[in-house]
Amino acid sequence: MHHDQGDYANALKLYTEAMRIFTDAADSKGRAETLQHLGQLHLSQGNPEDAVVSYSDALEIFTSTDDRRMKASALYGLAKAYKSRGKYSEAAMFYSDALEINTDLNDDCGISNALFGLAEVHRVRGEYSQAVPLYTDALRNWTDAGERQGRASALWGLAEVHRRQEHHAQAITFYCDALQIYTDIGDSRGKAFALVGLADVSRAQGRLKGAIEIDEQASKICEQIGAADLAALVSKRTAETRRQMELNKKAA
């Protein structure tokens, strides 16, 4: 509960106490599951190095007890932690291992998450031809499952890939589809990211005024939800766009 509410300090205290109890009781399953929670907590706090330690310890226990479902979960956590550290080769390896186990177990949710994770790794590495089919498979799975949050994430990923390849029409379609879902489910941060992507496409097409208008929509959302990191990015890009418009006026 504390973790979900962002009360990380109290969550850490509770998990640490649980670790002590499970260790004293020689309860390896309880200890491993608590290590999983600690890994998630460390990622939420922006401490991927600590997350790697927790997930690695959990993975060792789940491997020794042959709990394949939880092993896949620990592998997925490790992949996320390594991706957060910018160690993409390791992340891809762990996502692939998680995907293999989840496929064997017919765990649709696990499969979709691993597919999306792999797609994200390929996207940030600029390996777009490898990212697209993974996003597409994840999108299909989440659509079939009626999982709207996942579907929006996959659509956003596809939009990003197409934008970076200057496939503007496709990017706009995917961003708009993602934006509609994020709006419908009340995901303000996702909505802001979709708007930022649409603004970037407008900039790339030379529609600078339109880009600024979309940026302003994203900026308002950032203020409402306290997304300082994204707000700073939007502010920087808006300022750059305004400067470009001024240069264009002087050159005209």
Side-chain angles (χ1 to χ4, degrees):
M1 180 179 70
H2 290 294
H3 186 178
D4 293 338
Q5 294 176 345
D7 187 357
Y8 300 137
N10 278 319
L12 181 59
K13 289 179 183 178
L14 291 173
Y15 289 145
T16 301
E17 177 62 15
M19 278 293 293
R20 185 189 65 76
I21 294 171
F22 288 130
T23 301
D24 290 346
D27 184 341
S28 60
K29 183 176 185 293
R31 186 168 181 271
E33 291 178 352
T34 303
L35 284 165
Q36 286 273 89
H37 290 305
L38 278 169
Q40 295 168 10
L41 177 63
H42 291 314
L43 279 179
S44 297
Q45 291 180 297
N47 299 322
E49 295 83 3
D50 292 335
V52 166
V53 174
S54 295
Y55 281 124
S56 296
D57 289 346
L59 176 61
E60 183 178 350
I61 296 172
F62 291 133
T63 301
S64 68
T65 59
D66 198 29
D67 188 334
R68 300 190 73 210
R69 191 173 300 279
M70 292 306 295
K71 179 181 178 180
S73 179
L75 286 165
Y76 177 74
L78 270 172
K80 289 178 66 176
Y82 276 109
K83 179 175 174 288
S84 294
R85 295 176 65 185
K87 293 184 177 294
Y88 300 123
S89 295
E90 291 89 341
M93 178 182 68
F94 288 122
Y95 278 131
S96 296
D97 289 346
L99 177 60
E100 181 178 353
I101 294 174
N102 283 315
T103 300
D104 289 344
L105 296 173
N106 291 316
D107 184 334
D108 291 336
C109 180
I111 290 169
S112 299
N113 287 334
L115 285 169
F116 181 77
L118 269 174
E120 287 283 273
V121 169
H122 288 303
R123 176 180 63 82
V124 297
R125 294 171 73 170
E127 298 162 351
Y128 304 132
S129 63
Q130 293 170 267
V132 168
L134 293 166
Y135 279 129
T136 302
D137 286 347
L139 174 61
R140 182 179 60 251
N141 290 353
W142 276 322
T143 300
D144 290 345
E147 218 304 303
R148 302 180 76 193
Q149 182 76 54
R151 185 166 184 265
S153 295
L155 286 165
W156 178 87
L158 283 166
E160 284 285 292
V161 168
H162 284 293
R163 177 179 66 80
R164 292 174 185 275
Q165 295 178 95
E166 299 184 356
H167 302 159
H168 298 144
Q170 296 97 317
I172 290 172
T173 297
F174 286 124
Y175 278 132
C176 287
D177 288 347
L179 177 61
Q180 184 62 60
I181 295 174
Y182 284 133
T183 300
D184 290 345
I185 64 178
D187 184 342
S188 296
R189 188 173 180 85
K191 184 178 177 180
F193 270 105
L195 287 168
V196 168
L198 282 169
D200 285 341
V201 174
S202 291
R203 265 184 285 274
Q205 293 179 313
R207 296 185 290 109
L208 303 185
K209 183 178 180 181
I212 290 175
E213 291 174 352
I214 299 172
D215 275 337
E216 289 174 346
Q217 294 179 52
S219 182
K220 288 180 181 178
I221 295 173
C222 290
E223 290 177 8
Q224 292 169 358
I225 64 176
D229 52 345
L230 187 55
L233 174 64
V234 173
S235 178
K236 178 182 177 182
R237 292 185 180 181
T238 302
E240 291 172 350
T241 305
R242 291 188 188 282
R243 283 195 293 271
Q244 186 60 52
M245 288 182 68
E246 288 300 318
L247 290 174
N248 291 349
K249 287 180 180 179
K250 291 179 181 179

